[in-house]
Amino acid sequence: MDMRRIVAVLAEEAEQQIQDQVWQVAPSESALALEAEAGLLDAVGPPDVQEALPRMKRLEHLRETLAVLAISLARTHGRLAWFLSGALNALEPVLSWRALPADRGGTFGTVLPSPDEYTEAEDAVRRLQDVLAQIGRVSP
């Protein structure tokens, strides 16, 4: 399953839990979700902007999204933490990516991602941005 699909499943589950009132979003969760969304927006911009960047910059931006999600995860518990954990797991392949060729020696298991893989990861981040914005707008 690709990153976009995993994030779509997470998003559907979060939206359903909120709609069914299984997840009663607390004000602190709303605030943290909006903070995380802002961090993701700072890291990954619109497709035309991201695709114009060199691969190294695109990878830097994707790694920044992992940092934003990890810091947010560290600051919460319960359903929002579970959601953020799932988001981090979905984007986990980014951790094994590199932007530089390996002239000599090993690469510690890293791989050069294709342009489509960058796009897939960036699309997944944009979907996460949307869901975090929705979570942030939930009124208790």
Side-chain angles (χ1 to χ4, degrees):
M1 195 179 310
D2 73 18
M3 287 180 251
R4 280 182 288 235
R5 183 68 195 133
I6 295 168
V7 168
V9 169
L10 287 170
E12 290 167 13
E13 183 176 355
E15 292 163 349
Q16 191 65 52
Q17 286 187 19
I18 291 168
Q19 180 181 341
D20 294 346
Q21 298 183 352
V22 171
W23 182 0
Q24 301 279 330
V25 178
S28 61
E29 290 177 311
S30 291
L32 185 59
L34 290 174
E35 189 177 317
E37 177 213 8
L40 296 182
L41 283 168
D42 284 344
V44 173
D48 58 332
V49 172
Q50 287 302 120
E51 290 171 8
L53 296 173
R55 287 184 181 190
M56 190 175 296
K57 274 293 181 202
R58 289 177 81 178
L59 183 54
E60 287 175 16
H61 290 192
L62 287 167
R63 288 176 178 161
E64 286 175 29
T65 66
L66 293 169
V68 167
L69 293 169
I71 290 168
S72 298
L73 173 60
R75 297 173 50 207
T76 192
H77 300 279
R79 294 187 191 278
L80 182 57
W82 305 337
F83 174 79
L84 294 170
S85 178
L88 280 161
N89 282 326
L91 295 173
E92 183 270 337
V94 171
L95 293 173
S96 66
W97 292 357
R98 60 185 163 86
L100 300 174
D103 295 332
R104 296 183 316 192
T107 64
F108 302 98
T110 60
V111 297
L112 290 169
S114 70
D116 287 343
E117 288 173 307
Y118 280 104
T119 300
E120 175 188 333
E122 291 160 351
D123 288 346
V125 170
R126 287 185 198 95
R127 182 65 174 110
L128 288 170
Q129 292 167 354
D130 293 342
V131 176
L132 288 166
Q134 291 173 17
I135 293 168
R137 288 191 300 267
V138 173
S139 304

